[in-house]
Amino acid sequence: MAIKLEKAQETDAQQLLEMQHAAFLPLLEKYLDFDTSPATEPLEKMEMRIREPDGGVYKIIADGKLAGAIRIRRKEGDEFWIGPLFIAPCFQGGGLAQAALRGAEELYPEAASWHLGTLLEEAGNCHLYEKMGYARNGRQEKLNPRATLVYYEKHAAKEVCL
């Protein structure tokens, strides 16, 4: 399925927040992480992310339909952070997350490195990021007795001229 990434506007915030809540609700119910789960975030946080000057939220449009979103922000210099990335439940399992990651990397070709975090206990998410060339960087953060956040990074290939 072909996708395109389209910069979100503040008028998209409510719809994106509802989609984010639906996408992360199963994880909230499984891990009971009420403090940091994207399923509990308020509208103001989505609006703030959309307005970020060094990045923003990009809608994932699949075959003309809103299917999810990916937040991209410049950490510093040529380091970029991804997260959250979410796909609406009715679109999950179709390769859209992979396509969104590739699209994000194409939007910011100047990136030397990409960083993200995901739940260690979610083997499918870890597999996705590892398949896309991300590697664990050794940093972990215990969220509660059920959930651990593990961090990944990917370094862009640099052309070498001989």
Side-chain angles (χ1 to χ4, degrees):
M1 183 177 298
I3 71 146
K4 70 176 182 172
L5 297 182
E6 183 179 297
K7 188 112 160 125
Q9 304 300 313
E10 278 195 69
T11 54
D12 299 314
Q14 183 64 46
Q15 184 179 17
L16 290 173
L17 183 69
E18 290 170 9
M19 191 174 283
Q20 175 179 296
H21 285 175
F24 283 99
L25 183 60
L27 298 179
L28 176 63
E29 291 171 342
K30 185 175 182 180
Y31 299 109
L32 305 176
D33 175 30
F34 295 97
D35 294 329
T36 65
S37 173
T40 63
E41 290 182 351
L43 180 61
E44 294 78 22
K45 192 159 190 176
M46 178 65 74
E47 292 169 339
M48 182 260 329
R49 288 176 173 161
I50 288 171
R51 288 191 307 267
E52 279 181 318
D54 284 336
V57 176
Y58 291 82
K59 300 183 292 186
I60 301 168
I61 310 295
D63 293 337
K65 296 178 182 161
L66 179 62
I70 183 170
R71 176 189 179 212
I72 304 167
R73 70 177 167 90
R74 186 183 302 264
K75 282 178 65 171
E76 59 183 62
D78 54 6
E79 293 183 14
F80 287 77
W81 180 266
I82 292 174
L85 162 60
F86 59 89
I87 306 297
C90 61
F91 285 96
Q92 291 177 2
L96 295 181
Q98 292 177 57
L101 287 168
R102 279 192 296 274
E105 293 171 6
E106 290 170 7
L107 280 175
Y108 294 92
E110 71 273 21
S113 63
W114 291 91
H115 305 263
L116 58 85
T118 195
L119 291 174
L120 175 64
E121 295 78 8
E122 288 298 306
N125 289 354
C126 293
H127 176 74
L128 162 70
Y129 296 125
E130 290 166 10
K131 182 167 77 170
M132 297 299 296
Y134 289 77
R136 292 184 192 179
N137 66 12
R139 182 174 161 222
Q140 293 189 55
E141 181 181 340
K142 193 79 169 158
L143 298 176
N144 67 30
R146 297 172 188 83
T148 304
L149 202 54
V150 63
Y151 292 90
Y152 282 84
E153 60 187 54
K154 178 178 181 178
H155 296 277
K158 299 288 182 192
E159 282 188 36
V160 177
C161 297
L162 301 176

